[in-house]
Amino acid sequence: MLNLDWSHLPFGYVKTDYNVRCYYRDGKWGELEISSSEFINLHMAASSLHYGQEAFEGMKAFMGKDGKIRVFRWEENARRMESSANGVMMAVVPNELFKKAILTAIKMNERFVPPYGTGASLYLRPLLIGSGARVGVKPADEYLFMVFVTPVGPYFKEGFKPVSMMIARDHDRAAPKGTGRYKVGGNYAASLSAGEEAHHDGFAAAIFLDAREKKYIDEAGPANFFGIKGNTYITPKSDSILPSITNKSLMDLARDMGMEVEVRPVPVEELKEFDEVGACGTAAVISPICRIVDHVTGEEYKYCSNGEAGPVSTKLYKRLQAIQYGDEPDVFNWNTIVE
Ligand SMILES: *Cc1c(COP(=O)(O)O)cnc(C)c1O
């Protein structure tokens, strides 16, 4: 057993034993290779470096009380990576290769899967990049798909704590018909300045509005946005947001709990009507939001009066985590047990 301070691991990179790689050359995928190196050998003219031909995924595996490792909804991540690959003209990773790569990466690094009860998990990072040399602007003819894993601690070390966010009026993350719906690095590059500005001013993240009209909520930093109004779970519909698998799962849980679910444009003014709001994604599951500041209109929206997350967000968070760790029956068939 590895001696790591599991409960205090950051959401960061920890070196593990192995990663897996596979190259696409001459129109086909090669054999999956296992490597113990943290480095890749890449042509300096690779299309990923110059023209942003790259996509990634983020997913988790959890150690259960029963000693079994569960991967959460990997088929959804595989499908999304396919969509991202098509979005920036890259070779698509076949489902079987994706599955084999993540399962191999987990099994080869089994000693890094955090023990049950620590709140930690194993984060998986599949990555697809254009590795072929390109000087003219054109898709590459060679691609590298790899998966590395890293143990990550519980996102909220002091428990499930609400955060403050600011509305990014001076920045856009993605254009209406651009690449916002793909999980590609370029969207992150475009969001870094807004994020750093928000951090500098003491906010956890910047909330992006639709780039065309600046009227509707798009995303909450690198996460999807949702609001709770009475018995309804509301989340934005937009061409420029990344379809979060956590959000999709929360919608299923909300329906299962007897709530209504609405996926539609969410105007900024509606912020004053919500009982609870939050950001959702693999890293934190839910980041409850207690305060949203709009510096341009001077509005300040407040939630969770006692500094605690609201009851609906808390219930959704606990139920999703319970399924992920195998504490509750996997009624939606979301988990794949690593054997
Ligand atoms: C990855 C990501 C999310 C969250 O998606 P999950 O599948 O829930 O992890 C949300 N927004 C953006 C921009 C992302 O890149």
Side-chain angles (χ1 to χ4, degrees):
M1 190 68 210
L2 204 62
N3 193 17
L4 281 179
D5 186 4
W6 303 107
S7 307
H8 297 97
L9 284 173
F11 189 84
Y13 180 80
V14 172
K15 185 182 189 305
T16 59
D17 293 333
Y18 302 100
N19 55 78
V20 297
R21 298 140 187 237
C22 189
Y23 286 93
Y24 179 91
R25 291 187 181 115
D26 302 320
K28 55 181 189 297
W29 288 99
E31 289 297 313
L32 192 67
E33 299 164 21
I34 294 166
S35 171
S36 57
S37 168
E38 292 172 280
F39 297 90
I40 53 176
N41 198 10
L42 192 62
H43 194 290
M44 62 184 173
S47 70
S48 51
L49 298 178
H50 299 259
Y51 304 128
Q53 257 202 319
E54 82 93 47
F56 68 98
E57 274 304 325
M59 48 203 294
K60 280 179 173 173
F62 302 84
M63 178 68 78
K65 204 187 280 180
D66 55 8
K68 291 182 176 152
I69 302 169
R70 292 168 173 79
V71 194
F72 188 67
R73 303 195 81 170
W74 71 265
E75 296 96 332
E76 293 288 333
N77 295 89
R79 191 175 311 149
R80 191 167 66 189
M81 183 168 251
E82 177 175 345
S83 157
S84 300
N86 287 323
V88 296
M89 305 298 291
M90 297 194 288
V92 165
V93 176
N95 237 34
E96 277 312 302
L97 173 58
F98 190 95
K99 182 180 185 184
K100 189 173 175 196
I102 56 163
L103 293 181
T104 305
I106 297 168
K107 278 190 274 195
M108 299 292 297
N109 294 293
E110 218 168 320
R111 67 194 190 103
F112 290 93
V113 183
Y116 175 81
T118 57
S121 55
L122 190 72
Y123 183 74
L124 322 182
R125 174 52 64 89
L127 180 68
L128 174 63
I129 66 172
S131 52
R134 274 287 176 254
V135 174
V137 182
K138 240 174 96 63
D141 50 11
E142 289 189 12
Y143 294 88
L144 166 60
F145 170 56
M146 49 188 306
V147 179
F148 69 79
V149 303
T150 188
V152 293
Y155 204 81
F156 298 104
K157 290 185 186 53
E158 300 86 35
F160 184 53
K161 277 283 169 243
V163 298
S164 296
M165 295 198 182
M166 62 171 269
I167 295 181
R169 291 259 178 202
D170 301 334
H171 298 269
D172 292 314
R173 171 187 165 271
K177 301 282 177 197
T179 56
R181 78 194 106 125
Y182 308 124
K183 208 167 177 75
V184 297
N187 297 336
Y188 278 76
S191 73
L192 285 177
S193 60
E196 284 309 295
E197 221 174 276
H199 295 158
H200 177 265
D201 293 341
F203 297 95
I207 292 182
F208 295 99
L209 303 184
D210 78 286
R212 189 190 323 235
E213 295 186 85
K214 296 293 222 182
K215 265 174 75 175
Y216 303 99
I217 296 174
D218 253 9
E219 291 212 70
N224 276 189
F225 176 89
F226 71 89
I228 307 292
K229 197 193 284 183
N231 196 38
T232 310
Y233 180 103
I234 300 159
T235 192
K237 182 180 173 67
S238 155
D239 278 348
S240 51
I241 67 183
L242 197 275
S244 153
I245 296 159
T246 311
N247 197 5
K248 189 173 174 180
S249 309
L250 293 173
M251 288 189 253
D252 285 339
L253 290 176
R255 281 188 205 98
D256 194 58
M257 284 160 40
M259 297 180 71
E260 298 293 318
V261 172
E262 291 177 11
V263 184
R264 55 155 172 85
V266 178
V268 183
E269 307 82 66
E270 197 175 355
L271 283 175
K272 55 176 165 300
E273 297 170 22
F274 291 120
D275 305 320
E276 301 176 28
V277 297
C280 60
T282 294
V285 181
I286 289 177
S287 289
I289 304 173
C290 59
R291 184 169 149 255
I292 298 175
V293 175
D294 189 337
H295 291 302
V296 171
T297 62
E299 289 273 4
E300 189 168 329
Y301 307 92
K302 286 196 165 155
Y303 311 90
C304 43
S305 47
N306 52 1
E308 300 284 325
V312 179
S313 304
T314 306
K315 201 164 150 192
L316 286 167
Y317 172 79
K318 288 195 169 152
R319 255 206 94 188
L320 187 55
Q321 288 256 285
I323 293 176
Q324 291 176 324
Y325 281 102
D327 294 336
E328 257 193 43
D330 182 19
V331 289
F332 298 96
N333 222 343
W334 284 339
N335 296 325
T336 299
I337 293 185
V338 181
E339 312 196 88

